Amino acid sequence: MKGRGCWETASVRSFCSSRCLNKFKKDDSGDDDDETASPADKSELHNTIKNLSLKLDDLSTCNDLIAKHGAALQRSLNELDGLRIPYESSEKLKAVNERATLFRITSNAMINACRDFLELAETHSRKWQRALQYEQEQRIHLEETIEQLAKQHNSLERAFRSGASGRAANPTKSFSEGSFLTSKGEDSEEDEDTEYFDAMEDSTSFITVITEAKEDRKAESGTTGPVDWTSSDNQVLDGASLVPKEPPKVKRRVRIPDKPNYSLNLWSIMKNCIGRELSKIPMPVNFNEPLSMLQRLTEDLEYHHLLDKAVHCTSSVEQMCLVAAFSVSSYSTTVHRIAKPFNPMLGETFELDRLDEMGLRSLCEQVSHHPPAAAHYVFSKNGWSLWQEITISSKFRGKYLSIMPLGAIHLEFQASGNHYVWRKSTSTVHNIIVGKLWIDQTGDIEIVNHKTKDRCQLKFLPYSYFSKEVARKVTGVVSDGQGKAQYVLSGSWDEQMECSKIVQSSPSSPSLDGKQKTVYQTLPAKLLWKKYPLPENAENMYYFSELALTLNEHEEGVAPTDSRLRPDQRLMEKGHWDEANTEKQRLEEKQRVSRRRRLEACSRGCSSEDEKEADTYMPLWFEKRLDPLTGEMACVYKGGYWEAKEKQEWHMCPNIF
């Protein structure tokens, strides 16, 4: 009985150790794709190795116990075999002895296998620790090498430019330089090989010199004369940056659940997706924020008060300054927002009914899935309306991610009839593989007033390690219908924008390469727009602004296709990411099934699947029309949504969730 108890004890210990070994094998199976280790990950790894070492010691102890008690059992059986017992009992004892011998042979085989595994595990444990240390050192070395190469590249480029063009500086004059390039054609596309990381500042094409408002100047040939800076329109510009401080009529939420700390390596998913369209890459919600693209599009209205102020401008060029500030303000929420919004389901909608609070009503609808396109219409009771159809073209290029919004934005003021059209700039997410993710806005924006022919040319300067300019700088010039520059705009897309009235303009002395810059003498700058501060604890709430925090708040009476009712997005907001991933896969599969049914019902004469989908899917609240100003087909609001909401008649809405 004593031997049997020892065997049971050894078996239990061996079983417990085998559970550890299974865990050990699971940890070594390669399921964890994280290639970078934070300090917390390192500590956890060391604890795991320590625990495994202890379990291996337990296994060694079990090995010794099995050998010890197995030998004791064999001796006991041999002693029984030597006793004088009846023949029948002797036969039974012989059978027991044979079984014990077989068991001893099997146990010896298991002991030898355990010993081999133990030696192998101890050997490879040291190898794994050395490999881990080597990979960590290589990662640090790679980061340092990339940074050094970037510095050397910029140093060589700067030296080349200095040798080619020389320096044209005037040490007796204090001035600030702006940067401006003539915008590309509206139909031009970004070069797929364009690099934005660590880009050098472009050659500046104008210089601004601040003068005093009371200086008396005479008009000169080719110059603009003094301009009154105290008109009623300028009073509108003075108050444009003021934040409206009206008590909210509806209590909105001011926080959402904190973002869970789930680690997931982006490169482990993206390494096989280089060159593919981002919208066609299956992504877990770990890379998302709990808002859809329709809601992100609605966030552009956060600084709607700039347009409310612009309604009261009698001068179209001063109204243009406010419109330009509004177009720049839409990027202010992106500076920390590196997470990807949810791709809307085809037919998904999002409404923002804030007539009492913001004086506007906004409606978005996803009108195409491949390529993803959203139509947007905004009506303001203060005298303006805005509409757009935005198609997102995005490419993952290994080191960075380019996001190119395609489509025109229209803004019309009812009283004056001024109709403005512009397009968005390119967004670039850097350091996809190595380093901290950061986002930059680059490119040119041209805003055109198609009634007065006023124009505003904005340039978003790419970030550079060695630039003397402020980060995220934006510069621009507002010209009237005759092409005469009236205002200089400057600021940054994540903080504020200012405008300065031009009182004189003249060409500068030519540089060594023969190029000339325009010198604008301006009055002191006036603040047009300043970013609202982020809410408290924003870093744990996806860096959402006050408006963004309210966009996914549950509201009664919305359409059954509204983004607020999307289950995977709601689960993610609550912190249930595993359930959200499961739900996201279900919704995507449901959408694929619906698309296959539409394609099967479509005639076979279509040339491609995209054309088939375009022919078979009809948006519910928008319709395709020819844009007379751009010459492009675009979805415009055809009406009926707010009437359906008032009657709560949603029978025509598709079942997408």
Side-chain angles (χ1 to χ4, degrees):
M1 294 297 293
K2 179 179 179 181
R4 180 183 176 187
C6 293
W7 274 100
E8 289 178 348
T9 302
S11 299
V12 170
R13 291 181 179 177
S14 177
F15 175 74
C16 293
S17 298
S18 67
R19 294 186 61 185
C20 170
L21 293 177
N22 289 334
K23 181 180 186 299
F24 184 83
K25 293 176 183 176
K26 182 179 179 181
D27 291 343
D28 189 40
S29 64
D31 292 338
D32 189 357
D33 291 331
D34 287 347
E35 297 180 6
T36 59
S38 64
D41 295 333
K42 295 176 185 176
S43 176
E44 182 180 356
L45 181 60
H46 289 310
N47 290 334
T48 302
I49 293 175
K50 182 179 179 181
N51 291 333
L52 288 174
S53 299
L54 294 175
K55 294 298 182 181
L56 287 173
D57 292 340
D58 291 344
L59 182 60
S60 179
T61 303
C62 291
N63 180 18
D64 296 338
L65 287 173
I66 289 175
K68 177 182 176 181
H69 295 297
L73 177 61
Q74 190 63 43
R75 286 195 303 270
S76 299
L77 290 173
N78 290 336
E79 291 173 358
L80 288 174
D81 194 25
L83 296 177
R84 293 182 179 180
I85 54 177
Y87 176 77
E88 184 178 354
S89 300
S90 176
E91 290 297 324
K92 291 183 179 179
L93 183 59
K94 185 178 179 181
V96 171
N97 195 7
E98 290 176 353
R99 292 174 183 175
T101 301
L102 290 174
F103 184 77
R104 178 174 58 81
I105 295 172
T106 306
S107 299
N108 286 336
M110 186 191 74
I111 290 170
N112 292 332
C114 289
R115 184 183 299 112
D116 293 340
F117 173 78
L118 182 61
E119 294 175 355
L120 189 64
E122 289 176 345
T123 302
H124 284 280
S125 176
R126 291 189 292 270
K127 290 183 180 179
W128 291 331
Q129 291 185 47
R130 288 195 299 269
L132 177 65
Q133 182 66 25
Y134 174 77
E135 291 295 333
Q136 184 179 356
E137 293 173 355
Q138 286 295 103
R139 180 177 178 271
I140 295 173
H141 177 69
L142 178 61
E143 292 180 0
E144 293 174 350
T145 302
I146 291 175
E147 184 176 357
Q148 187 65 26
L149 286 174
K151 291 180 180 179
Q152 293 175 359
H153 172 77
N154 282 281
S155 177
L156 290 172
E157 187 174 354
R158 184 172 293 215
F160 172 77
R161 290 188 179 185
S162 299
S165 61
R167 299 182 181 275
N170 187 355
T172 63
K173 193 171 189 179
S174 174
F175 59 83
S176 63
E177 293 190 352
S179 175
F180 167 74
L181 291 178
T182 303
S183 65
K184 301 176 183 178
E186 289 185 349
D187 295 331
S188 66
E189 296 182 355
E190 294 285 344
D191 183 357
E192 290 196 356
D193 296 327
T194 301
E195 293 281 353
Y196 299 108
F197 180 71
D198 216 25
M200 299 298 295
E201 57 265 60
D202 293 306
S203 176
T204 56
S205 61
F206 69 82
I207 303 170
T208 60
V209 182
I210 299 176
T211 63
E212 295 297 329
K214 295 182 180 179
E215 281 191 42
D216 186 21
R217 295 181 178 82
K218 296 182 180 180
E220 301 178 7
S221 176
T223 66
T224 59
V227 179
D228 181 16
W229 193 234
T230 59
S231 67
S232 60
D233 286 329
N234 286 316
Q235 293 175 8
V236 173
L237 293 180
D238 284 338
S241 63
L242 300 178
V243 179
K245 294 293 183 181
E246 297 182 2
K249 298 181 180 180
V250 178
K251 187 176 181 180
R252 303 286 180 183
R253 67 180 184 180
V254 295
R255 66 168 295 108
I256 59 175
D258 287 355
K259 177 182 178 181
N261 187 21
Y262 291 152
S263 62
L264 190 63
N265 188 5
L266 176 62
W267 179 240
S268 64
I269 293 178
M270 301 293 280
K271 60 187 176 183
N272 296 322
C273 305
I274 296 176
R276 291 178 59 186
E277 184 71 24
L278 183 64
S279 62
K280 297 184 179 181
I281 299 174
M283 287 279 193
V285 300
N286 304 58
F287 299 121
N288 288 82
E289 62 179 15
L291 289 178
S292 75
M293 190 61 202
L294 303 181
Q295 291 164 316
R296 282 290 293 268
L297 203 59
T298 306
E299 274 192 79
D300 290 356
L301 303 173
E302 181 151 16
Y303 299 95
H304 63 93
H305 70 275
L306 293 171
L307 302 183
D308 296 339
K309 294 283 186 180
V311 172
H312 303 290
C313 287
T314 56
S315 168
S316 61
V317 290
E318 289 167 357
Q319 188 179 72
M320 175 70 84
C321 291
L322 291 170
V323 174
F326 173 78
S327 69
V328 174
S329 71
S330 63
Y331 299 98
S332 63
T333 61
T334 65
V335 62
H336 299 297
R337 303 270 291 279
I338 57 175
K340 176 181 176 288
F342 279 79
N343 285 333
M345 312 299 290
L346 188 61
E348 185 175 333
T349 60
F350 179 74
E351 67 160 66
L352 190 70
D353 192 356
R354 303 278 177 93
L355 273 179
D356 294 334
E357 300 167 71
M358 301 168 62
L360 57 84
R361 273 179 164 175
S362 168
L363 176 65
C364 294
E365 181 180 3
Q366 187 76 359
V367 296
S368 173
H369 187 62
H370 287 304
H376 186 201
Y377 178 76
V378 187
F379 166 77
S380 172
K381 67 180 182 182
N382 294 316
W384 56 269
S385 57
L386 180 147
W387 63 96
Q388 60 182 318
E389 180 186 346
I390 296 296
T391 300
I392 301 297
S393 176
S394 52
K395 288 288 185 180
F396 174 62
R397 309 184 191 278
K399 292 184 295 183
Y400 62 91
L401 183 70
S402 293
I403 303 170
M404 295 154 286
L406 308 176
I409 304 172
H410 294 259
L411 171 65
E412 185 175 24
F413 293 93
Q414 279 81 29
S416 63
N418 289 333
H419 189 150
Y420 298 86
V421 179
W422 71 92
R423 298 172 187 267
K424 286 182 173 288
S425 67
T426 297
S427 300
T428 308
V429 182
H430 295 275
N431 291 352
I432 296 295
I433 303 175
V434 178
K436 182 179 180 181
L437 291 173
W438 59 280
I439 193 168
D440 198 15
Q441 308 292 342
T442 56
D444 305 325
I445 293 180
E446 182 182 49
I447 307 175
V448 181
N449 184 341
H450 284 270
K451 179 183 179 183
T452 64
K453 306 305 179 185
D454 299 340
R455 292 177 182 270
C456 175
Q457 303 281 0
L458 291 172
K459 179 168 184 61
F460 290 70
L461 275 71
Y463 174 78
S464 170
Y465 279 128
F466 306 101
S467 175
K468 295 178 291 185
E469 303 287 359
V470 296
R472 310 178 185 95
K473 184 176 181 179
V474 181
T475 61
V477 175
V478 175
S479 304
D480 59 21
Q482 288 72 44
K484 184 181 295 184
Q486 297 290 340
Y487 285 92
V488 170
L489 303 177
S490 62
S492 59
W493 53 264
D494 66 323
E495 286 294 337
Q496 64 180 40
M497 285 296 292
E498 298 176 335
C499 71
S500 303
K501 180 66 179 177
I502 299 174
V503 294
Q504 278 190 335
S505 62
S506 59
S508 67
S509 300
S511 60
L512 295 180
D513 59 356
K515 295 182 179 180
Q516 281 187 318
K517 299 179 181 180
T518 303
V519 178
Y520 293 127
Q521 296 186 24
T522 68
L523 295 175
K526 294 183 180 293
L527 184 64
L528 289 173
W529 158 75
K530 188 174 180 64
K531 180 184 176 181
Y532 299 151
L534 289 174
E536 184 180 356
N537 195 39
E539 64 276 7
N540 294 321
M541 298 186 295
Y542 309 89
Y543 287 98
F544 282 178
S545 63
E546 289 186 3
L547 176 62
L549 287 173
T550 67
L551 292 181
N552 206 41
E553 186 174 10
H554 182 74
E555 292 188 15
E556 297 292 338
V558 299
T561 54
D562 197 272
S563 300
R564 299 176 180 89
L565 305 177
R566 181 166 174 166
D568 54 346
Q569 186 172 299
R570 181 66 64 186
L571 287 168
M572 184 196 176
E573 182 185 90
K574 293 179 178 179
H576 308 316
W577 285 16
D578 292 337
E579 295 89 337
N581 277 318
T582 302
E583 192 65 20
K584 184 172 183 287
Q585 293 176 6
R586 182 190 68 83
L587 291 176
E588 290 173 349
E589 180 58 29
K590 182 176 182 179
Q591 181 169 244
R592 284 189 285 268
V593 171
S594 298
R595 184 170 184 265
R596 284 195 294 266
R597 290 174 179 172
R598 287 197 308 272
L599 293 178
E600 291 172 358
C602 179
S603 63
R604 298 181 180 180
C606 301
S607 59
S608 70
E609 288 193 354
D610 289 337
E611 290 180 0
K612 291 178 183 179
E613 181 169 3
D615 290 339
T616 56
Y617 180 77
M618 298 294 293
L620 191 57
W621 311 110
F622 291 80
E623 61 183 2
K624 284 279 187 182
R625 294 180 190 170
L626 179 65
D627 189 330
L629 298 180
T630 64
E632 302 171 352
M633 294 298 294
C635 284
V636 295
Y637 180 59
K638 65 180 180 181
Y641 179 87
W642 303 109
E643 294 78 4
K645 181 182 179 182
E646 184 178 354
K647 299 177 182 178
Q648 286 297 295
E649 293 182 356
W650 303 117
H651 61 277
M652 73 292 289
C653 294
N655 179 16
I656 60 175
F657 299 143

